[in-house]
Amino acid sequence: MLNIVIFGAPGSGKGTQSERIVEKYGINHISTGDVLRAEIKNGTELGKTAKGYIDQGQLIPDELMIDILASVFDSFKDSKGVIFDGFPRTIAQAEALKKMLAERGQDVSVMVDLDVPEEELMVRLIKRGKDSGRADDNEETIKKRLHVYHSQTAPLIDWYKNEKKYQHINGLGTMEGIFAEICEAVDKL
Ligand SMILES: Nc1ncnc2c1ncn2[C@@H]1O[C@H](COP(=O)(O)OP(=O)(O)O)[C@@H](O)[C@H]1O
Ligand SMILES: [Mg+2]
């Protein structure tokens, strides 16, 4: 099983690259952000809870995210692997993911870190907000999300280095060029 964690700040290209990876390697995609946005759209209880956090640029509590993740993961049948997009976002979530996979006889194969400078992230997210109307892509919420990324999510870089799963990717460049770099790393596994 090929279990890829795609990692990076908001706007680093996780969603964009995940689509290509899913197509090439035939694995399943779990975007926790997409799952939550769908729940919000459908007006479910989970969606109502999630909306409060998302509108504030905050993370959803770990226990809730972990439950959602395990249930989506277990819904895949005859899976060749999964790309985790937007999860884990905290060290507690990384530990929970490791445990969840270990209980199923699996592990993370690689953590791909899309490294993009802050100025470029701002430009991309403001543009995404205009094009797609994503509610949390406004300047104020973006700033909060980048702060949350630096304080709660970036520590995962050292955590995955310690696990010997870390792969740095320069996330600045064409989408095709970045994808080629990711494939080179994945094909070496
Ligand atoms: N290599 C790239 N160069 C320029 N813009 C990009 C690149 N990759 C993604 N984008 C754009 O940046 C925005 C954020 O990308 P996305 O994949 O949604 O990031 P994430 O899922 O990490 O938040 C999107 O509008 C996307 O079209
Ligand atoms: Mg995304």
Side-chain angles (χ1 to χ4, degrees), residues 140-165:
E140 193 194 333
T141 312
I142 293 168
K143 284 194 177 135
K144 285 190 196 156
R145 284 156 64 211
L146 289 174
H147 175 76
V148 166
Y149 170 78
H150 288 297
S151 60
Q152 300 193 53
T153 308
L156 286 173
I157 292 173
D158 280 340
W159 195 88
Y160 278 105
K161 280 183 181 165
N162 194 46
E163 294 273 307
K164 307 269 183 287
K165 304 291 185 193

PDB file of all heavy atoms in Angstrom, residues 140-165:
ATOM      1  N   GLU A 140      -7.756  38.291   5.902  1.00  0.00           N
ATOM      2  CA  GLU A 140      -7.696  38.182   7.359  1.00  0.00           C
ATOM      3  C   GLU A 140      -7.614  36.712   7.806  1.00  0.00           C
ATOM      4  O   GLU A 140      -6.798  36.348   8.653  1.00  0.00           O
ATOM      5  CB  GLU A 140      -8.950  38.853   7.940  1.00  0.00           C
ATOM      6  CG  GLU A 140      -8.858  39.086   9.422  1.00  0.00           C
ATOM      7  CD  GLU A 140     -10.220  39.430  10.025  1.00  0.00           C
ATOM      8  OE1 GLU A 140     -11.079  39.978   9.291  1.00  0.00           O
ATOM      9  OE2 GLU A 140     -10.416  39.112  11.214  1.00  0.00           O
ATOM     10  N   THR A 141      -8.484  35.867   7.222  1.00  0.00           N
ATOM     11  CA  THR A 141      -8.494  34.448   7.611  1.00  0.00           C
ATOM     12  C   THR A 141      -7.228  33.746   7.129  1.00  0.00           C
ATOM     13  O   THR A 141      -6.698  32.868   7.819  1.00  0.00           O
ATOM     14  CB  THR A 141      -9.760  33.756   7.066  1.00  0.00           C
ATOM     15  OG1 THR A 141     -10.881  34.568   7.373  1.00  0.00           O
ATOM     16  CG2 THR A 141      -9.965  32.390   7.694  1.00  0.00           C
ATOM     17  N   ILE A 142      -6.716  34.144   5.965  1.00  0.00           N
ATOM     18  CA  ILE A 142      -5.470  33.544   5.458  1.00  0.00           C
ATOM     19  C   ILE A 142      -4.349  33.792   6.465  1.00  0.00           C
ATOM     20  O   ILE A 142      -3.579  32.877   6.792  1.00  0.00           O
ATOM     21  CB  ILE A 142      -5.081  34.132   4.077  1.00  0.00           C
ATOM     22  CG1 ILE A 142      -6.095  33.709   3.003  1.00  0.00           C
ATOM     23  CG2 ILE A 142      -3.673  33.677   3.674  1.00  0.00           C
ATOM     24  CD1 ILE A 142      -5.963  34.478   1.692  1.00  0.00           C
ATOM     25  N   LYS A 143      -4.261  35.019   6.964  1.00  0.00           N
ATOM     26  CA  LYS A 143      -3.197  35.349   7.934  1.00  0.00           C
ATOM     27  C   LYS A 143      -3.312  34.476   9.174  1.00  0.00           C
ATOM     28  O   LYS A 143      -2.316  33.959   9.680  1.00  0.00           O
ATOM     29  CB  LYS A 143      -3.248  36.828   8.298  1.00  0.00           C
ATOM     30  CG  LYS A 143      -2.671  37.683   7.184  1.00  0.00           C
ATOM     31  CD  LYS A 143      -2.391  39.113   7.604  1.00  0.00           C
ATOM     32  CE  LYS A 143      -1.742  39.868   6.442  1.00  0.00           C
ATOM     33  NZ  LYS A 143      -2.338  41.199   6.268  1.00  0.00           N
ATOM     34  N   LYS A 144      -4.536  34.277   9.652  1.00  0.00           N
ATOM     35  CA  LYS A 144      -4.745  33.409  10.828  1.00  0.00           C
ATOM     36  C   LYS A 144      -4.327  31.982  10.509  1.00  0.00           C
ATOM     37  O   LYS A 144      -3.706  31.299  11.328  1.00  0.00           O
ATOM     38  CB  LYS A 144      -6.215  33.416  11.245  1.00  0.00           C
ATOM     39  CG  LYS A 144      -6.645  34.677  11.959  1.00  0.00           C
ATOM     40  CD  LYS A 144      -8.036  34.480  12.552  1.00  0.00           C
ATOM     41  CE  LYS A 144      -8.649  35.813  12.920  1.00  0.00           C
ATOM     42  NZ  LYS A 144     -10.106  35.767  12.958  1.00  0.00           N
ATOM     43  N   ARG A 145      -4.690  31.501   9.310  1.00  0.00           N
ATOM     44  CA  ARG A 145      -4.366  30.111   8.945  1.00  0.00           C
ATOM     45  C   ARG A 145      -2.850  29.916   8.823  1.00  0.00           C
ATOM     46  O   ARG A 145      -2.328  28.867   9.202  1.00  0.00           O
ATOM     47  CB  ARG A 145      -5.070  29.742   7.629  1.00  0.00           C
ATOM     48  CG  ARG A 145      -6.570  29.485   7.853  1.00  0.00           C
ATOM     49  CD  ARG A 145      -7.375  29.692   6.598  1.00  0.00           C
ATOM     50  NE  ARG A 145      -7.029  28.767   5.551  1.00  0.00           N
ATOM     51  CZ  ARG A 145      -7.112  29.063   4.251  1.00  0.00           C
ATOM     52  NH1 ARG A 145      -7.505  30.254   3.851  1.00  0.00           N
ATOM     53  NH2 ARG A 145      -6.790  28.147   3.370  1.00  0.00           N
ATOM     54  N   LEU A 146      -2.183  30.929   8.281  1.00  0.00           N
ATOM     55  CA  LEU A 146      -0.721  30.805   8.175  1.00  0.00           C
ATOM     56  C   LEU A 146      -0.092  30.792   9.565  1.00  0.00           C
ATOM     57  O   LEU A 146       0.867  30.053   9.813  1.00  0.00           O
ATOM     58  CB  LEU A 146      -0.139  31.939   7.315  1.00  0.00           C
ATOM     59  CG  LEU A 146      -0.464  31.815   5.818  1.00  0.00           C
ATOM     60  CD1 LEU A 146       0.020  33.047   5.058  1.00  0.00           C
ATOM     61  CD2 LEU A 146       0.161  30.554   5.220  1.00  0.00           C
ATOM     62  N   HIS A 147      -0.661  31.564  10.478  1.00  0.00           N
ATOM     63  CA  HIS A 147      -0.157  31.554  11.857  1.00  0.00           C
ATOM     64  C   HIS A 147      -0.367  30.168  12.485  1.00  0.00           C
ATOM     65  O   HIS A 147       0.544  29.614  13.109  1.00  0.00           O
ATOM     66  CB  HIS A 147      -0.849  32.647  12.668  1.00  0.00           C
ATOM     67  CG  HIS A 147      -0.469  32.604  14.114  1.00  0.00           C
ATOM     68  ND1 HIS A 147       0.749  33.066  14.570  1.00  0.00           N
ATOM     69  CD2 HIS A 147      -1.116  32.101  15.188  1.00  0.00           C
ATOM     70  CE1 HIS A 147       0.820  32.852  15.869  1.00  0.00           C
ATOM     71  NE2 HIS A 147      -0.295  32.275  16.272  1.00  0.00           N
ATOM     72  N   VAL A 148      -1.555  29.616  12.297  1.00  0.00           N
ATOM     73  CA  VAL A 148      -1.841  28.270  12.822  1.00  0.00           C
ATOM     74  C   VAL A 148      -0.898  27.247  12.186  1.00  0.00           C
ATOM     75  O   VAL A 148      -0.374  26.357  12.857  1.00  0.00           O
ATOM     76  CB  VAL A 148      -3.329  27.881  12.571  1.00  0.00           C
ATOM     77  CG1 VAL A 148      -3.564  26.400  12.798  1.00  0.00           C
ATOM     78  CG2 VAL A 148      -4.256  28.721  13.441  1.00  0.00           C
ATOM     79  N   TYR A 149      -0.662  27.404  10.882  1.00  0.00           N
ATOM     80  CA  TYR A 149       0.262  26.490  10.197  1.00  0.00           C
ATOM     81  C   TYR A 149       1.633  26.525  10.872  1.00  0.00           C
ATOM     82  O   TYR A 149       2.199  25.480  11.203  1.00  0.00           O
ATOM     83  CB  TYR A 149       0.404  26.849   8.703  1.00  0.00           C
ATOM     84  CG  TYR A 149       1.519  26.073   8.051  1.00  0.00           C
ATOM     85  CD1 TYR A 149       1.336  24.739   7.690  1.00  0.00           C
ATOM     86  CD2 TYR A 149       2.778  26.646   7.866  1.00  0.00           C
ATOM     87  CE1 TYR A 149       2.370  23.997   7.158  1.00  0.00           C
ATOM     88  CE2 TYR A 149       3.821  25.906   7.331  1.00  0.00           C
ATOM     89  CZ  TYR A 149       3.613  24.589   6.980  1.00  0.00           C
ATOM     90  OH  TYR A 149       4.640  23.840   6.468  1.00  0.00           O
ATOM     91  N   HIS A 150       2.181  27.733  11.080  1.00  0.00           N
ATOM     92  CA  HIS A 150       3.527  27.831  11.663  1.00  0.00           C
ATOM     93  C   HIS A 150       3.570  27.301  13.089  1.00  0.00           C
ATOM     94  O   HIS A 150       4.512  26.613  13.466  1.00  0.00           O
ATOM     95  CB  HIS A 150       4.031  29.275  11.606  1.00  0.00           C
ATOM     96  CG  HIS A 150       4.381  29.688  10.210  1.00  0.00           C
ATOM     97  ND1 HIS A 150       5.391  29.079   9.490  1.00  0.00           N
ATOM     98  CD2 HIS A 150       3.833  30.596   9.381  1.00  0.00           C
ATOM     99  CE1 HIS A 150       5.448  29.622   8.287  1.00  0.00           C
ATOM    100  NE2 HIS A 150       4.511  30.536   8.190  1.00  0.00           N
ATOM    101  N   SER A 151       2.531  27.593  13.876  1.00  0.00           N
ATOM    102  CA  SER A 151       2.606  27.207  15.284  1.00  0.00           C
ATOM    103  C   SER A 151       2.240  25.741  15.504  1.00  0.00           C
ATOM    104  O   SER A 151       2.874  25.066  16.304  1.00  0.00           O
ATOM    105  CB  SER A 151       1.729  28.131  16.142  1.00  0.00           C
ATOM    106  OG  SER A 151       0.401  28.048  15.709  1.00  0.00           O
ATOM    107  N   GLN A 152       1.239  25.203  14.790  1.00  0.00           N
ATOM    108  CA  GLN A 152       0.751  23.848  15.102  1.00  0.00           C
ATOM    109  C   GLN A 152       1.145  22.786  14.087  1.00  0.00           C
ATOM    110  O   GLN A 152       1.287  21.619  14.432  1.00  0.00           O
ATOM    111  CB  GLN A 152      -0.777  23.865  15.216  1.00  0.00           C
ATOM    112  CG  GLN A 152      -1.265  24.794  16.309  1.00  0.00           C
ATOM    113  CD  GLN A 152      -2.733  24.566  16.609  1.00  0.00           C
ATOM    114  OE1 GLN A 152      -3.149  23.450  16.863  1.00  0.00           O
ATOM    115  NE2 GLN A 152      -3.516  25.622  16.558  1.00  0.00           N
ATOM    116  N   THR A 153       1.295  23.179  12.805  1.00  0.00           N
ATOM    117  CA  THR A 153       1.484  22.173  11.754  1.00  0.00           C
ATOM    118  C   THR A 153       2.951  22.012  11.357  1.00  0.00           C
ATOM    119  O   THR A 153       3.427  20.880  11.200  1.00  0.00           O
ATOM    120  CB  THR A 153       0.604  22.520  10.530  1.00  0.00           C
ATOM    121  OG1 THR A 153      -0.748  22.710  10.983  1.00  0.00           O
ATOM    122  CG2 THR A 153       0.614  21.420   9.498  1.00  0.00           C
ATOM    123  N   ALA A 154       3.679  23.118  11.217  1.00  0.00           N
ATOM    124  CA  ALA A 154       5.084  23.031  10.793  1.00  0.00           C
ATOM    125  C   ALA A 154       5.944  22.121  11.689  1.00  0.00           C
ATOM    126  O   ALA A 154       6.880  21.490  11.183  1.00  0.00           O
ATOM    127  CB  ALA A 154       5.687  24.428  10.672  1.00  0.00           C
ATOM    128  N   PRO A 155       5.664  22.001  12.998  1.00  0.00           N
ATOM    129  CA  PRO A 155       6.464  21.070  13.817  1.00  0.00           C
ATOM    130  C   PRO A 155       6.442  19.621  13.302  1.00  0.00           C
ATOM    131  O   PRO A 155       7.306  18.818  13.654  1.00  0.00           O
ATOM    132  CB  PRO A 155       5.822  21.169  15.210  1.00  0.00           C
ATOM    133  CG  PRO A 155       5.242  22.548  15.256  1.00  0.00           C
ATOM    134  CD  PRO A 155       4.751  22.813  13.843  1.00  0.00           C
ATOM    135  N   LEU A 156       5.481  19.301  12.440  1.00  0.00           N
ATOM    136  CA  LEU A 156       5.431  17.948  11.874  1.00  0.00           C
ATOM    137  C   LEU A 156       6.615  17.653  10.958  1.00  0.00           C
ATOM    138  O   LEU A 156       6.930  16.482  10.698  1.00  0.00           O
ATOM    139  CB  LEU A 156       4.131  17.759  11.083  1.00  0.00           C
ATOM    140  CG  LEU A 156       2.885  17.600  11.942  1.00  0.00           C
ATOM    141  CD1 LEU A 156       1.650  17.596  11.088  1.00  0.00           C
ATOM    142  CD2 LEU A 156       2.995  16.303  12.722  1.00  0.00           C
ATOM    143  N   ILE A 157       7.256  18.706  10.466  1.00  0.00           N
ATOM    144  CA  ILE A 157       8.413  18.497   9.588  1.00  0.00           C
ATOM    145  C   ILE A 157       9.481  17.715  10.353  1.00  0.00           C
ATOM    146  O   ILE A 157       9.961  16.676   9.871  1.00  0.00           O
ATOM    147  CB  ILE A 157       8.939  19.854   9.051  1.00  0.00           C
ATOM    148  CG1 ILE A 157       7.886  20.459   8.099  1.00  0.00           C
ATOM    149  CG2 ILE A 157      10.295  19.681   8.364  1.00  0.00           C
ATOM    150  CD1 ILE A 157       8.208  21.865   7.622  1.00  0.00           C
ATOM    151  N   ASP A 158       9.808  18.177  11.536  1.00  0.00           N
ATOM    152  CA  ASP A 158      10.818  17.460  12.333  1.00  0.00           C
ATOM    153  C   ASP A 158      10.301  16.092  12.776  1.00  0.00           C
ATOM    154  O   ASP A 158      11.059  15.127  12.869  1.00  0.00           O
ATOM    155  CB  ASP A 158      11.221  18.284  13.568  1.00  0.00           C
ATOM    156  CG  ASP A 158      12.223  19.369  13.190  1.00  0.00           C
ATOM    157  OD1 ASP A 158      12.865  19.228  12.127  1.00  0.00           O
ATOM    158  OD2 ASP A 158      12.352  20.350  13.938  1.00  0.00           O
ATOM    159  N   TRP A 159       9.000  16.010  13.037  1.00  0.00           N
ATOM    160  CA  TRP A 159       8.414  14.737  13.473  1.00  0.00           C
ATOM    161  C   TRP A 159       8.597  13.677  12.385  1.00  0.00           C
ATOM    162  O   TRP A 159       9.032  12.554  12.649  1.00  0.00           O
ATOM    163  CB  TRP A 159       6.925  14.942  13.808  1.00  0.00           C
ATOM    164  CG  TRP A 159       6.320  13.822  14.594  1.00  0.00           C
ATOM    165  CD1 TRP A 159       6.299  13.687  15.950  1.00  0.00           C
ATOM    166  CD2 TRP A 159       5.655  12.662  14.072  1.00  0.00           C
ATOM    167  NE1 TRP A 159       5.662  12.529  16.311  1.00  0.00           N
ATOM    168  CE2 TRP A 159       5.251  11.874  15.187  1.00  0.00           C
ATOM    169  CE3 TRP A 159       5.353  12.206  12.788  1.00  0.00           C
ATOM    170  CZ2 TRP A 159       4.559  10.666  15.040  1.00  0.00           C
ATOM    171  CZ3 TRP A 159       4.672  11.004  12.644  1.00  0.00           C
ATOM    172  CH2 TRP A 159       4.281  10.245  13.765  1.00  0.00           C
ATOM    173  N   TYR A 160       8.306  14.044  11.120  1.00  0.00           N
ATOM    174  CA  TYR A 160       8.454  13.070  10.023  1.00  0.00           C
ATOM    175  C   TYR A 160       9.916  12.830   9.648  1.00  0.00           C
ATOM    176  O   TYR A 160      10.264  11.741   9.190  1.00  0.00           O
ATOM    177  CB  TYR A 160       7.611  13.478   8.808  1.00  0.00           C
ATOM    178  CG  TYR A 160       6.162  13.069   8.963  1.00  0.00           C
ATOM    179  CD1 TYR A 160       5.176  13.997   9.266  1.00  0.00           C
ATOM    180  CD2 TYR A 160       5.780  11.726   8.848  1.00  0.00           C
ATOM    181  CE1 TYR A 160       3.850  13.617   9.441  1.00  0.00           C
ATOM    182  CE2 TYR A 160       4.459  11.332   9.011  1.00  0.00           C
ATOM    183  CZ  TYR A 160       3.499  12.272   9.300  1.00  0.00           C
ATOM    184  OH  TYR A 160       2.193  11.883   9.469  1.00  0.00           O
ATOM    185  N   LYS A 161      10.769  13.846   9.864  1.00  0.00           N
ATOM    186  CA  LYS A 161      12.212  13.610   9.650  1.00  0.00           C
ATOM    187  C   LYS A 161      12.682  12.525  10.607  1.00  0.00           C
ATOM    188  O   LYS A 161      13.416  11.616  10.226  1.00  0.00           O
ATOM    189  CB  LYS A 161      13.004  14.896   9.906  1.00  0.00           C
ATOM    190  CG  LYS A 161      12.979  15.855   8.739  1.00  0.00           C
ATOM    191  CD  LYS A 161      13.838  17.086   9.017  1.00  0.00           C
ATOM    192  CE  LYS A 161      13.756  18.036   7.831  1.00  0.00           C
ATOM    193  NZ  LYS A 161      14.265  19.380   8.146  1.00  0.00           N
ATOM    194  N   ASN A 162      12.205  12.620  11.829  1.00  0.00           N
ATOM    195  CA  ASN A 162      12.562  11.651  12.849  1.00  0.00           C
ATOM    196  C   ASN A 162      12.056  10.242  12.503  1.00  0.00           C
ATOM    197  O   ASN A 162      12.701   9.234  12.823  1.00  0.00           O
ATOM    198  CB  ASN A 162      11.985  12.142  14.183  1.00  0.00           C
ATOM    199  CG  ASN A 162      12.561  11.413  15.364  1.00  0.00           C
ATOM    200  OD1 ASN A 162      13.774  11.227  15.443  1.00  0.00           O
ATOM    201  ND2 ASN A 162      11.696  10.982  16.263  1.00  0.00           N
ATOM    202  N   GLU A 163      10.921  10.192  11.817  1.00  0.00           N
ATOM    203  CA  GLU A 163      10.350   8.906  11.377  1.00  0.00           C
ATOM    204  C   GLU A 163      11.039   8.383  10.106  1.00  0.00           C
ATOM    205  O   GLU A 163      10.665   7.323   9.594  1.00  0.00           O
ATOM    206  CB  GLU A 163       8.860   9.084  11.054  1.00  0.00           C
ATOM    207  CG  GLU A 163       7.982   9.421  12.247  1.00  0.00           C
ATOM    208  CD  GLU A 163       7.497   8.183  12.962  1.00  0.00           C
ATOM    209  OE1 GLU A 163       6.927   7.299  12.307  1.00  0.00           O
ATOM    210  OE2 GLU A 163       7.715   8.107  14.189  1.00  0.00           O
ATOM    211  N   LYS A 164      11.935   9.194   9.543  1.00  0.00           N
ATOM    212  CA  LYS A 164      12.623   8.872   8.279  1.00  0.00           C
ATOM    213  C   LYS A 164      11.646   8.753   7.102  1.00  0.00           C
ATOM    214  O   LYS A 164      11.799   7.916   6.212  1.00  0.00           O
ATOM    215  CB  LYS A 164      13.419   7.555   8.399  1.00  0.00           C
ATOM    216  CG  LYS A 164      14.384   7.524   9.582  1.00  0.00           C
ATOM    217  CD  LYS A 164      15.768   8.028   9.188  1.00  0.00           C
ATOM    218  CE  LYS A 164      16.773   7.945  10.303  1.00  0.00           C
ATOM    219  NZ  LYS A 164      16.579   8.954  11.370  1.00  0.00           N
ATOM    220  N   LYS A 165      10.623   9.606   7.125  1.00  0.00           N
ATOM    221  CA  LYS A 165       9.623   9.592   6.049  1.00  0.00           C
ATOM    222  C   LYS A 165       9.600  10.912   5.282  1.00  0.00           C
ATOM    223  O   LYS A 165       8.767  11.101   4.398  1.00  0.00           O
ATOM    224  CB  LYS A 165       8.204   9.397   6.643  1.00  0.00           C
ATOM    225  CG  LYS A 165       8.032   8.165   7.490  1.00  0.00           C
ATOM    226  CD  LYS A 165       8.085   6.910   6.681  1.00  0.00           C
ATOM    227  CE  LYS A 165       7.778   5.707   7.553  1.00  0.00           C
ATOM    228  NZ  LYS A 165       8.111   4.469   6.897  1.00  0.00           N
TER     229      LYS A 165
END
